[in-house]
Amino acid sequence: MPKVKDPGLADRGRLKIEWAKAHMPVLSIIAERFSKERPLEGVRIAACLHVTKETAVLALALKEGGAKVCLSASNPLSTQDDVAAALAEEGIDVYAWRGMSEDEYLEAIESTLKCDPHITMDDGGDITVMAHQKGYADRIIGGTEETTTGVLRIESLAKEGILRYPVITVNNAETKWNFDNVYGTGQSTIDGILRATNIMIAGKWFVVAGYGHVGRGVAMRARGMGAKVIVTEVDPIRALMAAMDGYIVMPMKEAAKIGDIFVTATGNRDVIKAEHISLMKDGAILANAGHFDVEVSVKDLELMALSRREIRENLREYLLPNGRRVYLIAEGRLVNLVAAEGHPSEVMDMSFSNQALAVEHLVKEGRSLPPKVHPVPRQIDEEVARLKLRSMGIEIDVLTPEQEKYLKSWRG
Ligand code: RBV
């Protein structure tokens, strides 16, 4: 039995899904083919993804292919309740509502594992880890993983010899990370900050912690809106890239004194903690764009603060002993999914087309794949790019036979 906040929200959710689908042409083409060929007939999928209008389009595409889909949230605060209600009406087993407790969150994931899945579909590694810890792994043919943090966790499972089934790293497809992680997060993070605060970005000091793909996208968009952008890093090569992209690079202890807005995008814990918070200016705003809520130490904020209050939706004010106030967006959880709606549909079109095709691949080949981490097959990646270009009305050149020969020869 699905579990959602309010089934009465289904009509609104259905309209949102319709709007998303209209901006996901590649996934729509795949869904159409799936409905004819039914490549997932009888396949049970347990998915742990942000329950958004884009995820809904994916879940319905899998259903068109013949799959039974059980869905839980990959973050306790990212569920769009109207979308969850609509999905439940469409026959998807959804266990998700916005604001679930930590226990409810884990129970919901386990409910989807009780659907006896052939495939797990993950965003962050939680369902894959639970499948292994709670004895569900042996019956599973394969899994997919949507995000960088999850890929790192599943690689660590594999390295320790614990991984029992093959997992396709959708995140690492070029048509995923090159676009979703950079442009998707870049736009949706700014969107989340604006919805939560409605502050002016132009002229502000904007600190981005971490210059991976996500940090690069956020820095780019913040600069585009007129902010003065500072990047903090631990990796010398990435720091150099940030410097040569024209950003100011410095340690967080220095940036803490200057920043008006801080966004963490490192995938690591305690990037902003007490020693930084006590240096911040009055009014500093903190947000996290990484998968888990560990990058800004909320524990430190809670311990330091004399008092706190909710000043707007998704915005909490902390009064510090030095008399200054700092503001935390979305409890330090994914700002783009909690304070906004996640990445735009157009970019999720590519990420989720990779998901759909990776599942189809696992159903065909999964039983013969070793229990390791596998890349998205190159043909799938290129097919997604080709279909996306076509949907955008963009044509490209083709190599002549002479050019192909030239590229393969040392003769020149
Ligand atoms: N993400 N999903 C959405 N609109 O459904 N937005 C972002 C959406 C995914 C994205 O692919 C990223 O890798 C992951 O969320 C981070 O948890």
Side-chain angles (χ1 to χ4, degrees):
M1 272 300 280
K3 213 170 155 190
V4 299
K5 185 164 281 168
D6 177 4
L9 299 172
D11 284 347
R12 209 175 70 187
R14 207 170 295 111
L15 287 174
K16 276 196 185 169
I17 298 169
E18 183 187 321
W19 178 250
K21 189 164 196 288
H23 296 88
M24 301 178 85
V26 179
L27 192 52
S28 300
I29 290 171
I30 294 169
E32 212 163 290
R33 176 171 68 75
F34 275 12
S35 74
K36 287 191 201 113
E37 298 177 4
R38 304 281 287 180
L40 311 179
E41 197 68 67
V43 174
R44 288 184 300 275
I45 300 173
C48 177
L49 299 170
H50 301 294
V51 181
T52 63
K53 59 192 188 303
E54 291 75 24
T55 297
V57 178
L58 171 63
L60 295 173
L62 299 169
K63 188 180 161 224
E64 290 280 337
K68 172 176 168 52
V69 182
C70 300
L71 175 65
S72 69
S74 60
N75 183 299
L77 285 184
S78 64
T79 297
Q80 296 165 8
D81 288 318
D82 45 9
V83 169
L87 279 178
E89 266 194 8
E90 296 290 331
I92 307 292
D93 269 5
V94 196
Y95 305 88
W97 57 96
R98 187 181 162 105
M100 53 205 325
S101 70
E102 206 62 48
D103 284 347
E104 289 168 334
Y105 170 77
L106 294 171
E107 274 164 31
I109 297 178
E110 187 150 18
S111 299
T112 68
L113 285 169
K114 287 182 182 150
C115 296
D116 195 16
H118 303 97
I119 304 276
T120 58
M121 193 178 257
D122 213 345
D123 183 335
D126 284 344
I127 193 169
T128 314
V129 167
M130 188 185 285
H132 284 79
Q133 284 174 333
K134 299 212 167 179
Y136 294 95
D138 285 340
R139 311 235 285 281
I140 295 171
I141 302 168
T144 65
E145 171 52 56
E146 170 77 6
T147 204
T148 314
T149 291
V151 168
L152 293 175
R153 291 178 78 197
I154 293 165
E155 278 173 353
S156 151
L157 275 181
K159 208 170 288 160
E160 291 182 23
I162 299 168
L163 191 67
R164 302 288 280 273
Y165 57 82
V167 177
I168 297 187
T169 50
V170 168
N171 179 72
N172 297 6
E174 287 204 58
T175 46
K176 200 282 184 183
W177 65 261
N178 256 317
F179 304 92
D180 171 313
N181 303 26
V182 182
Y183 306 106
T185 321
Q187 177 167 321
S188 59
T189 295
I190 301 286
D191 186 9
I193 294 170
L194 292 181
R195 291 195 205 193
T197 65
N198 197 33
I199 51 150
M200 175 97 162
I201 296 207
K204 293 274 171 30
W205 286 102
F206 196 110
V207 180
V208 179
Y211 201 65
H213 306 123
V214 168
R216 182 151 63 85
V218 174
M220 190 195 306
R221 291 301 179 243
R223 174 155 71 189
M225 292 193 74
K228 296 170 286 190
V229 179
I230 297 171
V231 170
T232 71
E233 248 304 339
V234 293
D235 178 309
I237 298 171
R238 293 208 162 154
L240 202 51
M241 283 166 65
M244 294 216 186
D245 282 342
Y247 300 109
I248 307 167
V249 180
M250 62 177 74
M252 184 55 88
K253 270 200 131 166
E254 297 304 316
K257 296 179 220 159
I258 303 170
D260 297 301
I261 305 159
F262 295 80
V263 174
T264 51
T266 68
N268 213 334
R269 57 181 309 140
D270 303 328
V271 178
I272 292 180
K273 52 186 181 183
E275 64 187 85
H276 308 116
I277 295 163
S278 55
L279 297 172
M280 286 178 183
K281 299 195 292 198
D282 186 34
I285 293 167
L286 314 183
N288 167 50
H291 184 78
F292 284 116
D293 59 342
V294 295
E295 308 207 14
V296 176
S297 174
V298 182
K299 196 179 82 209
D300 280 5
L301 267 173
E302 298 283 342
L303 281 174
M304 295 166 80
L306 301 178
S307 64
R308 63 174 228 197
R309 57 183 179 144
E310 305 303 317
I311 197 112
R312 285 163 62 93
E313 198 181 349
N314 294 315
L315 191 65
R316 186 171 293 162
E317 178 190 78
Y318 289 92
L319 176 64
L320 302 177
N322 61 15
R324 298 179 196 158
R325 289 152 301 177
V326 297
Y327 295 86
L328 179 66
I329 304 181
E331 302 176 21
R333 294 190 188 270
L334 279 166
V335 59
N336 56 340
L337 279 139
V338 178
E341 290 172 68
H343 300 356
S345 308
E346 289 88 338
V347 83
M348 295 313 295
D349 189 25
M350 291 195 276
S351 310
F352 285 164
S353 293
N354 277 294
Q355 284 283 9
L357 297 177
V359 168
E360 185 183 30
H361 178 72
L362 280 173
V363 169
K364 278 197 208 132
E365 312 282 341
R367 287 188 175 83
S368 56
L369 291 175
K372 290 195 315 204
V373 171
H374 298 266
V376 170
R378 184 75 193 173
Q379 321 83 274
I380 291 182
D381 215 344
E382 286 182 4
E383 177 69 1
V384 171
R386 248 191 305 273
L387 290 173
K388 190 70 183 175
L389 280 172
R390 196 184 305 157
S391 77
M392 295 167 82
I394 298 172
E395 288 182 39
I396 58 172
D397 291 322
V398 183
L399 290 174
T400 64
E402 292 73 28
Q403 286 176 316
E404 292 227 28
K405 205 169 131 203
Y406 178 85
L407 285 177
K408 287 190 189 121
S409 169
W410 55 267
R411 286 189 175 80

